[in-house]
Amino acid sequence: MRVTEQLQQQVQEVLKITTGYGYEIEELKRRLSEVETTVREELNREEARTGGSRLAALEHPGSQQEQRKQMFYASSHVHSLRFLPLKDVQARSRGDTHVHHYFISALKGRGWAEGPPELFTFPAEDGNSTLRHRLLCLRGNSTSDGTQNSYALAHKEELPIGARLVQGTTLISDTLWDFRNPWHSMFNLVQFIYWRLDNACTRAQNLVVFHQAEFRTHLGDWIGSVLSSSGLPSVPLDINKLAAEHPNTGEADDLPIMCFERAIVSRRGIGGMTLPLRRRLFDEMRCQVRRACNIHVNNMYGADAEETKITRSIRHVNVTLLVRQRTRGFIDEGAWRRVLQEQCRPTQNCTWSVIYVANMSFCRQVEAMSHTNILISAHGGQLANIVFMSPGGSLMELFPSGWLEMAGHGQYIYKNLAYWVGLHHEGFWRDPLTPPCPDPSNARTCFSYYKDQPIGINTTHITRWLKDVIHKHQSIPLHTKDHGKKENISNFIDQNKCECST
C-alpha cells in the first residue's frame, strides 16, 4: 500500500509539472496565433489592393466568415484549457501546507516567512511571470465537495464558451472554517482591508468566498458590517445567479464558469502577517467602522471628553461586563454585578455597565466597546468586538472548567487578538466548580459537555483581580502622550482619522 501511495504521489507531481508545461505550450500557441493573424492581415491588405472583397468580409462583424472564425477560436480554446480541481486532496501529502495549499494548488506560497497578507493577483503583476497575461477562471457550484469545483488560467481571448467574464476587481477567499463566526470570518477576510491600504485605498467590486473550496454565498452579519464599513464588498457573488443571466452552452457538463478581469486570491487570511502590519490593519479597521457608525473617541483610552475636565490624579475607567445569554452565561449574574459595583464606584472615578451583545445592533456593539477600558467576558465569538476597543485597554477572560485540558490552542485566540490590537490580556479565570463530565472516558463527548457550561464566580478572587486591573489603569497619569510607545502599542492620537479617508 505504501508503494502504491508513493506512486500515486509521483503521478500527481508529474501531472502538475505537465500542467505547468501546458501553460507554456498555450503561450506559444497564442503567439503563433498572433503571427498567423498578422500574416493573414497582410495578405488581406494585398488582396484589398486588387479586389477588396475579402478584407471587407473580415472587417464586417456580421459576416458569415467572421462568425465562423469566432466559433472556431472559441471551440478550440475551450478544449485547450485544462481545469484542475479547486481542492487538491494531495496537497497535505506534499508536506508544508503553507507552501502547497489545497486551494488553487498550482500557486506556491511563501512558507513560514512573515510579511504582508499573502495574496495572489490574476493576471499576475510580476512582469517576469508566465501567468502575467492569464485570467483566473472558476468552474462549478458545489457547496458540499470542493474537489468537484475546478479552476483554470486562461488568456482573455481564449475564455471558454459560456463563461461569464466578471468585470472589475474580485476578492476571493478560502477558509477551513466558516464565514458566519465573527472570529473565523474576521481572520479570513480583513486582510483585504490591508490590501486597500497597500494599493492606495483602491476599491474592489466583487467578493467570492469558499469553505474548503466549497462555494458559499452568505456571510455573517458581523463581518458583513465590518467589510461594508471599510469600503469592501460584503455580499458574495452567487455563481448560479450569474450562470442564469449568462447560460453556459459550450460545456458538456454545463457547469457554470466565472472568469475574472482581475482577481485577488487569499488562502491564509491574516496568517503570517508581522505584528506592525497587523496593528496597522486593525487601526484602519477600527477607524473605518467607528466612522461608519458615527462614533467619536477623544483619546486613546476611549473615555468621554468629560475626562479632560477632571483634575484628580487618577484616570477615569469604564468597566464593561459582557454577558452571553445562552451558552457560557453566568450562573449568578447578580454576584458579578455586586463585585463591579463595589470595586467601581463613581467616587473612585470609575463607572461600570452590563451589556447583552445578542440584543445589540452592530453599531451599538462598536459604541460600547469604543468606550470600554476594561472588558470582562466569557470566551466566545462576541470577543471579536475587542478590535473596536482603543489600544491600552484590558481584557479579563473567563472559561468553564475542562477547556485547559481539552480545547487546544483555540482557547488562546483572543489572547492573541488582544496583543495584535494593542490591548492587555489580563489572564484567564477558569471556574473550578463546573460539574464533572458524566463520561470521562470519551474526550470528544467531554469537551462538548464542558464547552457550553455556565460560569460561576469566586467572589474573593474576582474582587482582587478586578481591583488590580483598575488600579493599573488609574496609575497611568492623565494625557500621557508617550504611553503607547512605553507599552509597545499603537500611539493612535487621532482615532477618527483613517488612512483611507474617502
Side-chain angles (χ1 to χ4, degrees):
M1 289 297 294
R2 181 170 298 178
V3 173
T4 302
E5 291 176 356
Q6 290 176 347
L7 288 174
Q8 289 177 342
Q9 183 175 343
Q10 291 173 5
V11 169
Q12 290 295 326
E13 292 292 341
V14 170
L15 286 175
K16 187 166 290 297
I17 294 171
T18 303
T19 300
Y21 287 137
Y23 289 140
E24 297 294 335
I25 292 170
E26 287 303 313
E27 176 68 13
L28 290 173
K29 288 170 63 178
R30 186 186 68 81
R31 293 179 180 178
L32 286 172
S33 178
E34 291 176 351
V35 172
E36 180 185 2
T37 300
T38 302
V39 171
R40 286 177 179 271
E41 289 176 351
E42 196 60 39
L43 288 173
N44 288 341
R45 290 192 189 96
E46 184 64 26
E47 285 193 16
R49 284 192 286 271
T50 59
S53 58
R54 189 174 181 187
L55 177 62
L58 283 173
E59 290 183 341
H60 194 283
S63 69
Q64 292 183 354
Q65 185 171 354
E66 177 69 13
Q67 291 176 6
R68 286 197 301 271
K69 185 180 76 170
Q70 290 179 355
M71 290 175 64
F72 169 78
Y73 280 115
S75 62
S76 62
H77 290 152
V78 72
H79 292 299
S80 66
L81 280 180
R82 182 183 178 191
F83 280 86
L84 301 173
L86 198 56
K87 181 177 182 178
D88 183 355
V89 294
Q90 300 296 322
R92 290 188 179 278
S93 67
R94 288 195 291 270
D96 187 353
T97 55
H98 288 287
V99 176
H100 300 287
H101 200 282
Y102 68 84
F103 187 81
I104 311 184
S105 57
L107 300 175
K108 184 177 180 180
R110 68 169 181 245
W112 294 102
E114 291 188 330
E118 187 175 71
L119 303 173
F120 302 90
T121 300
F122 295 93
E125 295 175 344
D126 181 0
N128 297 322
S129 173
T130 58
L131 306 179
R132 185 160 56 94
H133 299 293
R134 297 191 181 276
L135 307 185
L136 174 65
C137 295
L138 302 178
R139 181 175 67 177
N141 55 0
S142 177
T143 59
S144 59
D145 184 357
T147 62
Q148 298 302 307
N149 300 321
S150 55
Y151 73 96
L153 305 176
H155 291 287
K156 190 170 184 179
E157 63 271 17
E158 62 179 11
L159 299 184
I161 295 174
R164 176 63 181 266
L165 180 61
V166 180
Q167 302 290 334
T169 298
T170 301
L171 309 177
I172 300 175
S173 178
D174 178 87
T175 176
L176 288 169
W177 309 107
D178 65 78
F179 293 103
R180 293 185 179 273
N181 176 282
W183 161 260
H184 293 310
S185 59
M186 178 183 67
F187 191 94
N188 289 286
L189 286 174
V190 298
Q191 69 276 12
F192 293 124
I193 297 176
Y194 189 88
W195 169 81
R196 280 202 73 201
L197 291 174
D198 202 39
N199 288 270
C201 299
T202 189
R203 287 182 178 270
Q205 288 70 46
N206 314 293
L207 175 67
V208 176
V209 293
F210 291 89
H211 163 67
Q212 299 191 55
E214 300 165 3
F215 191 64
R216 294 290 184 265
T217 58
H218 294 89
L219 302 179
D221 292 339
W222 187 90
I223 191 62
S225 297
V226 168
L227 295 179
S228 61
S229 298
S230 304
L232 293 169
S234 58
V235 179
L237 289 178
D238 188 333
I239 191 171
N240 294 307
K241 290 182 179 179
L242 287 176
E245 297 170 2
H246 195 79
N248 178 9
T249 58
E251 287 289 312
D253 54 16
D254 203 33
L255 290 175
I257 302 174
M258 287 190 295
C259 298
F260 305 95
E261 181 181 37
R262 185 168 185 249
I264 311 298
V265 177
S266 172
R267 305 186 301 190
R268 296 179 62 190
I270 58 175
M273 290 185 69
T274 63
L275 180 61
L277 297 185
R278 278 194 174 117
R279 294 239 168 116
R280 182 185 175 203
L281 184 159
F282 284 113
D283 281 348
E284 179 70 5
M285 172 179 161
R286 182 191 310 112
C287 181
Q288 292 287 358
V289 170
R290 284 178 175 175
R291 186 171 65 172
C293 291
N294 197 28
I295 297 167
H296 298 277
V297 177
N298 294 287
N299 62 69
M300 67 184 299
Y301 289 96
D304 296 324
E306 290 298 315
E307 180 176 89
T308 60
K309 302 177 183 179
I310 297 173
T311 57
R312 300 175 58 177
S313 60
I314 59 174
R315 178 179 296 278
H316 176 272
V317 173
N318 184 24
V319 181
T320 299
L321 181 68
L322 199 163
V323 180
R324 290 172 60 98
Q325 292 176 275
R326 292 185 293 273
T327 59
R328 266 167 273 145
F330 293 121
I331 296 174
D332 187 353
E333 185 181 318
W336 284 90
R337 287 175 175 265
R338 288 189 291 273
V339 170
L340 266 65
Q341 186 175 24
E342 176 63 27
Q343 295 304 312
C344 192
R345 302 173 183 173
T347 56
Q348 296 173 329
N349 210 18
C350 178
T351 55
W352 63 277
S353 60
V354 177
I355 64 173
Y356 304 87
V357 69
N359 298 333
M360 301 174 71
S361 68
F362 175 75
C363 283
R364 286 288 306 279
Q365 295 175 50
V366 176
E367 182 178 29
M369 293 298 100
S370 295
H371 296 92
T372 293
N373 308 114
I374 301 172
L375 180 66
I376 306 171
S377 175
H379 176 91
Q382 78 285 349
L383 283 181
N385 283 299
I386 66 175
V387 297
F388 306 126
M389 293 175 63
S390 294
S394 288
L395 171 62
M396 302 167 66
E397 192 172 358
L398 316 172
F399 285 91
S401 182
W403 280 67
L404 180 62
E405 300 80 9
M406 299 180 178
H409 66 85
Q411 63 191 299
Y412 303 110
I413 57 176
Y414 296 111
K415 179 179 180 180
N416 294 334
L417 181 59
Y419 180 58
W420 297 343
V421 299
L423 303 178
H424 304 282
H425 191 280
E426 304 292 349
F428 307 102
W429 184 70
R430 305 172 188 273
D431 185 358
L433 300 180
T434 301
C437 174
D439 183 11
S441 64
N442 190 322
R444 178 172 298 213
T445 301
C446 268
F447 181 61
S448 296
Y449 167 81
Y450 284 125
K451 183 174 181 290
D452 296 328
Q453 289 295 309
I455 297 172
I457 185 171
N458 179 326
T459 302
T460 301
H461 175 80
I462 298 300
T463 296
R464 186 185 310 114
W465 188 21
L466 178 58
K467 182 178 180 179
D468 290 344
V469 175
I470 291 174
H471 176 73
K472 183 174 75 172
H473 276 264
Q474 292 187 327
S475 298
I476 301 169
L478 285 171
H479 313 301
T480 303
K481 294 182 179 179
D482 62 345
H483 173 73
K485 184 176 180 181
K486 288 182 179 179
E487 296 293 333
N488 193 29
I489 63 174
S490 302
N491 189 12
F492 207 65
I493 299 172
D494 185 355
Q495 297 194 55
N496 305 303
K497 184 178 180 181
C498 311
E499 285 195 56
C500 294
S501 57
T502 58

